[in-house]
Amino acid sequence: MTPALLGNLGVSLALAFSLLGLALALLAYHQGDGRFLKGARALVLPAFLAALAAFLALEWALLTHDFSLAYVARNHSVQDPLWVTLVTPWAALEGSILLWGLLQTLYTLLASRKPLDPWRASLVLAVLFGIQVFFFGVMATIASPFQTLPNPPADGVGPNPLLQNHWMMAVHPVLMYLGFVGLSVPFAYAVAAMVVRRYQTWVGETRWWTLIAWGFLTAGKVAGMWWSYEVLGWGGYWAWDPVENASFIPWLLATAFLHTAIVQETRGAFKAWNFAFVTLAFAATVLGTFLTRSGVIQSVHAFAEGPVGPAFLGAFLFFTALGLGLLSRVSREVRDTVVFRPLSREGTLLLGAFFFAGWALVVVLGTFYPLLVEAFAGAKVSVGAPFFNQVSAPIGAGILLLMGVGPILPWRRPKAEVFRNLYVLLAVLLLGTLLGLFRGYTLGASLAVGLFLYNTLAILLLVREGVGARVKAGLSPWGFLENRRRVGSLVVHFAVALMGLGIAFSQTYRLEGEKTLYRGQAWEVGGVRMEFLGVRALDEGRRFAVEASLRTDRFGEVRPRLHFYPQMNSPLPAPKVVYTPGNDYYFLLMDFDRERGEWASIRLIVTPLVFWMWVAGGLMALGTLYILWPVARREELKGVSPA
């Protein structure tokens, strides 16, 4: 047995089990025969095990330096550290599709364990098996991770240096894939609900699955921002790169669904919107994969141009047509007949969902506009960060405004006492903004301060309301914490407000300076005085490194680096970042004296409040985990409502 043989066998069996499972699931639905459904369910685990065997075969090939596999020869070197070797399966096209396929079989396995009526269970399995057929079909035909070479090299070139320059590479892609693939389950539930014409119960089940995917997507995006911040050497965390945009779109649409789903659960409305958001969120993940792997864009995320582009484009069109086609068929049955008041919880939730969906549309247009112009007019144009920043700022401010007021409002019609809270919130928003202006901040930064205080107060009011209701009922106030859905969402909302504050200040007050220093020379910028002590060269096996030594008056000695990889013509910066609650200090080595090491060009970037963005990302993940904690599920099923 060789890795190639085991891998090809695993892919073939996963494809065969998925095809058979798809056929049995469709037969179960059309024939109404539970034996076919039982047979389909029996194939879920073998498909997962086959995919796992294929994935382990690729790890086996990497760990044993089996350069007879083209993937290993192109993306691995005997000098790679162990952790780089272990994460190389998702460092390039074929391996990442294999990871995607493995996670798809895992989600199918988990979804098959959930109790559903046999009609919907058959269709959910059919959709998930169908997605598996696509991925393993791609691996079996045009993008095999186990293609062999007739003349294997003695060593490979290693993975992209950008991907091996930071440990976050081991985390960020897996979290993103868990989020992307997780959205396939809500899509399957939506398709099943529309086919069997049962429009209400699916949304509660789907909201849970969507929250799982959303949590992974959020964690993956924050990890990616951090990776970008520390690896790319430009001192930023978001560049509106096309692939960043492609991953942002499903997050926005899933967020829209999570809010409108609450309205359907509570008032039975927004059915059509929920079907549309779930369909588009999943379709956007396939579209993002097409962008990443087709070679139509240039990006730090994009893998080399390969043959899979048309296949993923076709899959995107098929899944979009399937979801929206079914929605068109049932549109009369899911149409809302309830009149909504704008000043109600459902009104603000719908408006907030429109903000998220509108934001997604803007990002789609900005991302695809250059591609469309080039395709139809032959001209090359670009849509850069200034466009996205200008459009996103008012949308983000609108979302933060709705986020504070929405939970305060009751369903249907606001009561008189609610207006007192609204007046207080608006007063805090105004005072916070004026305070920022008084301190000399820009209008945007001042508004960010006001919105942060406004949202923080809104959360405190909600906590007071929940705790007060329990005390009035003679219950322990700490029981409020048992309402995990409410508490988790408050934590997430606070984290979003904190993230907004960090983005506003880091974008507005970034300070940057660059200077060539000779040995012993000092330089002060951004309140930091540094003295250049010299440079030293290091041989680290798989790469050379040059390290500058800077003695600072605040942080001791810092050592920014340049890494030289044999695969790259130019060095890769490895900045030294000093995190503080107020400012981040980002030291970069730009150039150096190659003969005697007597001078070095140093750049220092001082950025306020970036530290709190990472804190906010952690809080968003913790809040989501708190909602999803199994105890909460049991309480919900028992109808417990501690608040």
Side-chain angles (χ1 to χ4, degrees):
M1 181 70 75
T2 64
L5 181 59
L6 178 60
N8 282 316
L9 184 63
V11 169
S12 300
L13 285 175
L15 176 59
F17 291 142
S18 300
L19 275 169
L20 187 56
L22 172 63
L24 290 174
L26 290 175
L27 276 172
Y29 174 73
H30 286 289
Q31 300 295 324
D33 191 332
R35 290 174 298 178
F36 290 125
L37 176 58
K38 190 176 179 180
R41 281 178 168 150
L43 292 168
V44 171
L45 181 59
F48 167 72
L49 293 176
L52 180 62
F55 186 81
L56 292 177
L58 186 55
E59 291 282 16
W60 177 17
L62 289 163
L63 289 168
T64 56
H65 314 307
D66 184 354
F67 296 109
S68 67
L69 291 185
Y71 185 88
V72 178
R74 288 198 305 265
N75 302 290
H76 175 63
S77 167
V78 293
Q79 294 184 332
D80 289 345
L82 179 60
W83 76 268
V84 173
T85 300
L86 291 174
V87 305
T88 297
W90 51 88
L93 175 68
E94 296 86 351
S96 68
I97 294 177
L98 176 58
L99 175 63
W100 195 303
L102 172 64
L103 296 178
Q104 187 67 59
T105 60
L106 176 61
Y107 271 107
T108 303
L109 179 64
L110 296 174
S112 70
R113 299 294 191 265
K114 289 289 181 182
L116 284 177
D117 63 76
W119 291 275
R120 286 195 302 148
S122 303
L123 290 169
V124 166
L125 275 183
V127 172
L128 294 175
F129 273 129
I131 296 170
Q132 288 180 195
V133 167
F134 168 72
F135 277 98
F136 289 103
V138 166
M139 282 183 269
T141 53
I142 55 177
S144 171
F146 302 103
Q147 182 185 358
T148 56
L149 296 172
N151 299 303
D155 195 1
V157 296
N160 185 336
L162 279 173
L163 304 180
Q164 56 179 305
N165 209 38
H166 198 282
W167 63 269
M168 196 72 78
M169 168 58 190
V171 178
H172 162 58
V174 178
L175 292 173
M176 292 303 298
Y177 291 154
L178 283 167
F180 282 156
V181 182
L183 289 174
S184 67
V185 181
F187 174 69
Y189 273 66
V191 168
M194 287 188 282
V195 172
V196 302
R197 287 183 156 86
R198 295 174 189 172
Y199 308 123
Q200 183 58 31
T201 55
W202 77 282
V203 75
E205 301 150 346
T206 302
R207 189 175 182 277
W208 188 78
W209 285 106
T210 308
L211 196 57
I212 292 175
W214 185 89
F216 280 122
L217 267 182
T218 302
K221 294 190 72 61
V222 173
M225 291 164 65
W226 204 344
W227 174 85
S228 172
Y229 187 59
E230 290 209 347
V231 169
L232 295 183
W234 55 286
Y237 47 82
W238 194 263
W240 295 106
D241 175 275
V243 178
E244 290 176 347
N245 295 351
S247 68
F248 192 35
I249 295 164
W251 185 89
L252 289 169
L253 294 168
T255 308
F257 168 75
L258 287 173
H259 289 83
T260 51
I262 299 172
V263 182
Q264 185 173 344
E265 285 183 286
T266 306
R267 296 200 58 192
F270 300 168
K271 297 185 183 73
W273 286 112
N274 286 327
F275 284 127
F277 286 145
V278 166
T279 297
L280 293 175
F282 172 67
T285 66
V286 183
L287 180 66
T289 311
F290 161 72
L291 278 177
T292 310
R293 291 158 178 82
S294 64
V296 300
I297 59 168
Q298 297 298 316
S299 162
V300 295
H301 301 79
F303 298 133
E305 184 173 355
V308 301
F312 275 93
L313 183 60
F316 163 72
L317 295 174
F318 173 78
F319 291 127
T320 305
L322 175 63
L324 296 185
L326 286 170
L327 179 56
S328 174
R329 188 175 70 118
V330 303
S331 59
R332 290 179 180 273
E333 301 166 32
V334 297
R335 185 175 300 165
D336 290 326
T337 57
V338 180
V339 177
F340 297 105
R341 295 176 182 277
L343 203 59
S344 65
R345 188 174 298 182
E346 57 267 42
T348 54
L349 284 169
L350 181 62
L351 188 56
F354 284 166
F355 269 90
F356 284 113
W359 200 353
L361 179 62
V362 167
V363 176
V364 168
L365 293 175
T367 304
F368 281 88
Y369 179 74
L371 299 178
L372 294 175
V373 169
E374 185 173 358
F376 292 104
K380 287 189 176 295
V381 299
S382 63
V383 177
F387 164 78
F388 290 107
N389 288 337
Q390 288 179 10
V391 175
S392 298
I395 296 176
I399 289 172
L400 288 171
L401 188 65
L402 291 170
M403 195 175 73
V405 73
I408 294 291
L409 293 171
W411 300 102
R412 295 185 178 86
R413 186 189 299 272
K415 300 175 184 176
E417 58 265 28
V418 171
F419 286 102
R420 288 198 295 271
N421 288 336
L422 291 181
Y423 294 146
V424 172
L425 286 176
L426 291 176
V428 168
L429 173 61
L430 180 61
L431 288 174
T433 305
L434 290 175
L435 177 65
L437 291 172
F438 178 75
R439 289 180 61 87
Y441 298 151
T442 65
L443 177 59
S446 300
L447 183 60
V449 173
L451 286 168
F452 174 73
L453 296 175
Y454 157 90
N455 276 286
T456 302
L457 178 61
I459 291 167
L460 293 174
L461 289 173
L462 290 167
V463 172
R464 187 190 67 173
E465 178 188 342
V467 171
R470 290 189 60 86
V471 171
K472 191 178 292 183
L475 301 173
S476 167
W478 297 107
F480 177 73
L481 297 175
E482 296 173 9
N483 189 343
R484 293 176 181 271
R485 185 163 163 174
R486 169 61 67 90
V487 173
S489 66
L490 293 180
V491 172
V492 171
H493 279 190
F494 175 77
V496 171
L498 185 60
M499 179 79 77
L501 188 68
I503 290 172
F505 273 75
S506 61
Q507 293 287 319
T508 306
Y509 295 109
R510 173 185 159 115
L511 175 66
E512 184 173 345
E514 182 174 340
K515 188 178 180 65
T516 298
L517 299 174
Y518 286 84
R519 192 187 298 270
Q521 186 179 359
W523 176 41
E524 183 170 345
V525 61
V528 176
R529 186 179 187 279
M530 69 189 83
E531 178 185 353
F532 175 58
L533 302 179
V535 296
R536 63 171 181 163
L538 303 166
D539 181 357
E540 298 182 335
R542 62 196 169 103
R543 68 189 179 197
F544 293 151
V546 172
E547 187 176 82
S549 295
L550 300 166
R551 183 163 55 211
T552 71
D553 58 348
R554 295 182 60 182
F555 314 116
E557 190 170 330
V558 297
R559 295 176 177 176
R561 289 175 149 216
L562 285 175
H563 289 158
F564 295 79
Y565 290 91
Q567 307 97 312
M568 298 189 76
N569 295 325
S570 55
L572 192 61
K576 172 61 182 176
V577 187
V578 180
Y579 295 95
T580 74
N583 292 308
D584 276 9
Y585 298 86
Y586 194 96
F587 296 86
L588 267 166
L589 173 60
M590 304 299 295
D591 200 359
F592 61 95
D593 181 1
R594 285 167 169 72
E595 293 185 359
R596 296 184 298 170
E598 290 296 317
W599 59 266
S601 292
I602 304 296
R603 176 182 292 174
L604 175 61
I605 303 171
V606 183
T607 314
L609 303 192
V610 174
F611 171 82
W612 295 103
M613 294 177 58
W614 315 133
V615 173
L619 288 174
M620 291 169 78
L622 287 175
T624 307
L625 184 63
Y626 195 72
I627 297 172
L628 291 170
W629 201 253
V631 174
R633 296 290 301 161
R634 288 200 295 272
E635 287 170 351
E636 286 177 8
L637 291 173
K638 292 176 183 175
V640 174
S641 181

